[in-house]
Amino acid sequence: MMNVPRSSIMLAILAGATSFAATAPIPIAELKRTDPVSFDREVLPFLSDNCLACHCQTTRKGGLNLETPELMLKGGENGPAIVPQRGTESLVLQAAAHLDADLAMPPRDNKAKAKNLTPAQLALLKLWIDQGAKPSPKVERKLDWQPMPAVLGAIVGVAVTADGQFAACTRANRVCIYHLPSGRAVLNEVAHRDQVNAVAFSPDGTLLATGGYREVKLWRRVPIEGKPAEPLAGATGKIARGDGQRVVTVEGNIAKLCGADGKVIAELRGNRFARERIDACDRALQVATGNVAFRKDAVTAAGKALQVAQDRAKKSAEGIAPKEQDLAAKQKALAKAQEEAEKARAESDSAAQKIESANKQIAEGEAAVKKAETTRDVALTELELAKAEAQKTAAGVTEANAAVETAEAARKKADEALQAARTAATAAEQPIRAVAFSPDGSTVVTAGDDQLIHSWSAENGAAFDVIQGHKAAVTALAFAPSGELVSTASDGSALAWNIAPAWKLERTIGASEGPSPLTDRVNALAFSPDGKLLATGSGEPSRGGEIKLWDAGSAQLVRDVPNVHSDAVFGLEFSPDGRQLASGAADKIARIVDPATGKVVRNFEGHTHHVLAVSWSPDGRTLATAGADNVVKIWDATSGDRKKNIEGYDKEVTAVRFAGVSGAVLTSSGDNKVRLVGLDGKEIRAFPEVADFMGGAAVTADGKVIVAGGQDSVLRVWNAADGKPLAAFPR
């Protein structure tokens, strides 16, 4: 056998290949210079072109990463790739210079189209190693920011508050917020220097997060606060709008919004928050009821499994006795054969034939005994396994029954909460004492014994705000010439209010220039269900993906989850109970992370392209993922098993959201589609008037309002129940 030098073997592993065509060594140019060679400026560029395709963060052939001097010194499976101050002894130079013709790098006809290093490049590489293979000094890269071209306006990020009051979208580097019930734009500002890729509302709808290049900005809804004012004369009973097209009449606890013809358009009654609380409790009850049914099915399945296990154990036990009897019979026969053999040996030589026959019987008897012992032992093992399985299954039945009890308790609690919400909503319907139209005629306000001011759409009666500040019944409402609303209470107090919704920048996490805790573009944002945590997803493309958890109130870092993905993160969503965080990334993988520890709980592999969005079902048992491979995948979040592929998309699926508790999911895609689909993959509804590539979509907590936007810069709003357009907000 031919002796192969150890260096050649190491080079072969370094190369990640077994054979190459013969190649002559590449001469290393003479390089006379004394100034230091810069790794970042002079060496890394040609390594990037010809080496890093196979030796980088995401592809480490031979376990080797050549992206930094530190990683080169760390080396791969066969030690360091460089030996500082010894260029010719460094494996990376030996491979690049083809010092072993059979193991030259890069390989011939490689897929990355990498080329041999030139003599001049080899000289730089050798000199850099000879000089100590030092990394380049860390220099914060100065970005030369340019104004965003006016032509850019595609909507990438879309969000809507749980109550449907506000929708937000991103156009280039701007963030836009719309008040849906009134159809008005309330914010249109430059939010970041770079494109805004992500947007998310907090669960209570008072905080908006936007993600840009290496930074996140938090926008707070300006609270409506009253200030002391001089009372103004208000109206009660009946009041007409300036144009006469709307009239409000008050009858006890109810104000009726009517048209000029006297027909009732809407009843203005009660408290919007109280009604929304009923809806939320009703959804929670539906989820809890579904959980009870699921747990009961699990008990039934566990009971059947236990019966099977018990039957197996019983059958195994019944099979032991016959096998023991068979073994005893064969042992007895063997003993008898051994006894006859002893007698035959005690006789004269004429008994040789008898001895041979007896020995044969002994051999056969021993074989029979051994076989019987094996059969008996197998039966005993099967019995032990069957008992263990029955014991485990019995424990499963106990756990399943306990889960049913827990689910039943949760359902009872949800039902009690619903009843309490209904009682509170009824109690909130107090006598109305005052009513007024805004100067522009778009808003009508009512107030009374509940000490609150309620604002409504003067067109259709949609509820706007519930304003609190008085400590006594409100007896009069009127708008001042300045446009402020003035309210007077029975205790003599008078307050002035600016009731127009407004948002302002509260704080920034990270920075687009200088040091930042966020890597590259923030592509995903998600608030925890309690609103206390904000998760950010980012990462340097092809290098790594990072997830960070922040305190939503203070913007302080709570937990860093680095390298949870090997490529940039594009999708994030907390589970309904907040105990898990799902993520999707450009590495084609979705994962579940425990926010409390940062550890990966489960992986979901199957997409063949970027995972662009993730969404949890309301019961937390199902996870939906959307990919750039034109597929939505439905997973069992507990086991990690894939349940269904939803296909029929011609381009990437940019968003996926569970819509209420119906089991339907909302999707948007690059093929001009916004659709509701069932978990069986069947289309429930396609929403009309969609133009061009759709970049994102969102749905209210009750699943009743759909919002989506795309390449044509129009944010569209639909009624989920019938697909009818509700509003459209152009750029």
Side-chain angles (χ1 to χ4, degrees):
M1 180 176 179
M2 181 179 178
N3 292 326
V4 180
R6 178 177 176 273
S7 61
S8 296
I9 296 174
M10 296 175 72
L11 281 170
I13 297 175
L14 175 68
T18 57
S19 64
F20 302 100
T23 304
I26 302 173
I28 302 175
E30 291 290 333
L31 183 60
K32 296 181 179 180
R33 60 180 275 186
T34 57
D35 57 306
V37 177
S38 169
F39 176 79
D40 287 350
R41 191 177 67 256
E42 299 179 87
V43 177
L44 185 58
F46 61 74
L47 292 182
S48 297
D49 291 340
N50 304 292
C51 304
L52 299 191
C54 296
H55 300 288
C56 62
Q57 176 72 20
T58 54
T59 305
R60 300 186 186 186
K61 288 192 175 181
L64 179 62
N65 187 340
L66 299 176
E67 292 179 314
T68 67
E70 295 84 356
L71 292 170
M72 294 169 74
L73 188 60
K74 181 180 179 181
E77 297 171 357
N78 288 275
I82 56 174
V83 182
Q85 300 180 339
R86 298 179 183 179
T88 55
E89 297 180 21
S90 298
L91 289 178
V92 66
L93 184 66
Q94 293 177 18
H98 299 183
L99 299 183
D100 188 318
D102 293 330
L103 301 172
M105 292 294 293
R108 264 186 204 277
D109 302 322
N110 61 84
K111 295 180 180 180
K113 300 186 184 304
K115 298 179 180 179
N116 294 332
L117 299 190
T118 66
Q121 291 170 337
L122 291 170
L124 276 173
L125 178 60
K126 180 179 182 300
L127 181 57
W128 172 70
I129 298 174
D130 287 340
Q131 289 178 343
K134 297 178 181 179
S136 299
K138 297 295 183 183
V139 178
E140 189 66 39
R141 183 161 60 103
K142 178 69 174 178
L143 298 176
D144 184 16
W145 290 101
Q146 301 296 314
M148 295 288 284
V151 70
L152 296 180
I155 293 175
V156 177
V158 176
V160 64
T161 55
D163 59 10
Q165 285 288 306
F166 295 93
C169 69
T170 66
R171 296 184 177 101
N173 62 344
R174 306 184 74 87
V175 59
C176 305
I177 303 178
Y178 301 94
H179 184 232
L180 294 185
S182 66
R184 290 184 172 184
V186 296
L187 182 72
N188 185 352
E189 282 192 22
V190 171
H192 301 267
R193 287 181 166 178
D194 195 23
Q195 176 171 290
V196 186
N197 293 322
V199 61
F201 280 108
S202 62
D204 64 2
T206 63
L207 191 63
L208 177 74
T210 59
Y213 178 74
R214 304 176 68 200
E215 68 180 6
V216 170
K217 291 191 175 181
L218 298 174
W219 309 77
R220 178 75 65 179
R221 185 186 175 189
V222 178
I224 299 176
E225 297 178 346
K227 59 183 180 181
E230 291 296 324
L232 294 176
T236 59
K238 182 176 181 179
I239 184 172
R241 196 168 67 178
D243 62 1
Q245 295 302 305
R246 292 291 184 271
V247 176
V248 174
T249 60
V250 177
E251 301 174 3
N253 298 347
I254 303 173
K256 294 181 179 179
L257 177 67
C258 303
D261 57 3
K263 291 183 178 180
V264 176
I265 296 172
E267 290 187 347
L268 316 180
R269 60 191 299 173
N271 187 319
R272 172 172 74 85
F273 293 153
R275 292 192 298 275
E276 290 173 357
R277 176 62 179 166
I278 290 176
D279 291 342
C281 289
D282 185 52
R283 293 194 300 273
L285 179 59
Q286 291 181 56
V287 171
T289 301
N291 284 336
V292 170
F294 174 80
R295 296 302 178 186
K296 286 185 175 180
D297 288 345
V299 167
T300 300
K304 291 180 179 178
L306 176 59
Q307 186 62 53
V308 171
Q310 289 174 337
D311 291 344
R312 175 188 172 189
K314 181 180 179 182
K315 184 177 179 180
S316 299
E318 292 173 347
I320 296 297
K323 292 177 176 59
E324 291 281 9
Q325 293 172 2
D326 182 58
L327 175 59
K330 287 181 170 56
Q331 288 173 333
K332 184 177 180 181
L334 175 59
K336 183 177 180 181
Q338 290 171 335
E339 182 180 350
E340 291 178 353
E342 287 298 326
K343 290 180 179 180
R345 291 190 190 97
E347 296 178 1
S348 61
D349 294 341
S350 61
Q353 187 175 357
K354 290 184 178 182
I355 294 174
E356 182 180 354
S357 176
N359 287 338
K360 183 178 180 181
Q361 291 180 3
I362 290 173
E364 292 174 348
E366 289 176 342
V369 167
K370 186 175 182 180
K371 183 177 180 181
E373 286 177 340
T374 300
T375 303
R376 187 272 316 269
D377 291 344
V378 168
L380 288 172
T381 300
E382 167 63 17
L383 177 60
E384 291 302 317
L385 291 174
K387 287 181 177 179
E389 181 183 358
Q391 186 176 7
K392 181 180 179 180
T393 309
V397 171
T398 301
E399 292 176 2
N401 281 313
V404 168
E405 293 180 4
T406 301
E408 288 280 14
R411 180 173 65 176
K412 181 180 179 181
K413 186 176 180 180
D415 185 58
E416 291 172 348
L418 175 59
Q419 300 309 318
R422 286 172 174 165
T423 300
T426 300
E429 294 189 6
Q430 299 285 324
I432 297 172
R433 305 293 181 186
V435 61
F437 280 102
S438 64
D440 64 3
S442 65
T443 305
V444 62
V445 290
T446 61
D449 289 1
D450 62 358
Q451 305 176 13
L452 302 172
I453 300 171
H454 305 269
S455 59
W456 318 79
S457 167
E459 290 300 320
N460 56 28
F464 288 177
D465 264 316
V466 178
I467 305 166
Q468 55 183 348
H470 282 290
K471 297 181 180 179
V474 180
T475 56
L477 293 170
F479 281 90
S482 63
E484 287 185 321
L485 172 67
V486 178
S487 57
T488 303
S490 59
D491 60 2
S493 64
L495 297 173
W497 315 82
N498 179 2
I499 64 172
W503 292 73
K504 67 177 181 179
L505 179 64
E506 184 174 82
R507 56 170 53 92
T508 301
I509 300 173
S512 59
E513 287 188 318
S516 175
L518 295 164
T519 302
D520 213 90
R521 289 178 172 85
V522 177
N523 303 307
L525 295 164
F527 283 93
S528 60
D530 60 8
K532 294 181 179 180
L533 291 178
L534 172 65
T536 61
S538 57
E540 189 173 354
S542 78
R543 296 292 305 277
E546 68 175 21
I547 296 174
K548 293 180 184 288
L549 301 177
W550 309 84
D551 184 286
S554 66
Q556 296 298 308
L557 183 64
V558 174
R559 186 171 304 283
D560 185 6
V561 190
N563 299 319
V564 66
H565 288 277
S566 61
D567 210 332
V569 176
F570 283 100
L572 287 174
E573 187 171 294
F574 282 90
S575 61
D577 60 8
R579 296 179 180 177
Q580 295 182 314
L581 175 65
S583 62
D587 59 6
K588 311 173 188 176
I589 298 174
R591 289 192 164 94
I592 292 178
V593 174
D594 180 354
T597 63
K599 294 182 178 179
V600 175
V601 176
R602 187 156 286 104
N603 297 314
F604 303 88
E605 299 186 35
H607 281 285
T608 59
H609 212 309
H610 297 14
V611 179
L612 299 176
V614 296
S615 184
W616 292 86
S617 63
D619 58 21
R621 295 196 300 269
T622 303
L623 185 71
T625 59
D629 53 2
N630 312 348
V631 175
V632 171
K633 292 182 181 290
I634 307 298
W635 310 84
D636 185 313
T638 302
S639 67
D641 295 334
R642 181 176 60 83
K643 300 166 69 174
K644 180 69 177 178
N645 273 0
I646 301 178
E647 301 176 341
Y649 300 92
D650 297 326
K651 291 185 179 180
E652 53 263 57
V653 186
T654 56
V656 61
R657 300 283 183 186
F658 274 89
V661 295
S662 65
V665 293
L666 168 70
T667 66
S668 65
S669 51
D671 54 0
N672 310 350
K673 292 178 182 176
V674 176
R675 302 190 298 170
L676 274 177
V677 295
L679 296 184
D680 57 2
K682 295 181 179 179
E683 182 178 292
I684 298 173
R685 182 166 292 104
F687 295 92
E689 301 179 9
V690 175
D692 221 319
F693 189 107
M694 298 304 291
V699 58
T700 53
D702 58 13
K704 295 180 179 179
V705 177
I706 304 295
V707 182
Q711 191 70 29
D712 66 355
S713 299
V714 179
L715 184 69
R716 292 177 168 83
V717 187
W718 297 276
N719 183 320
D722 56 19
K724 292 182 178 179
L726 298 176
F729 301 99
R731 185 176 177 181

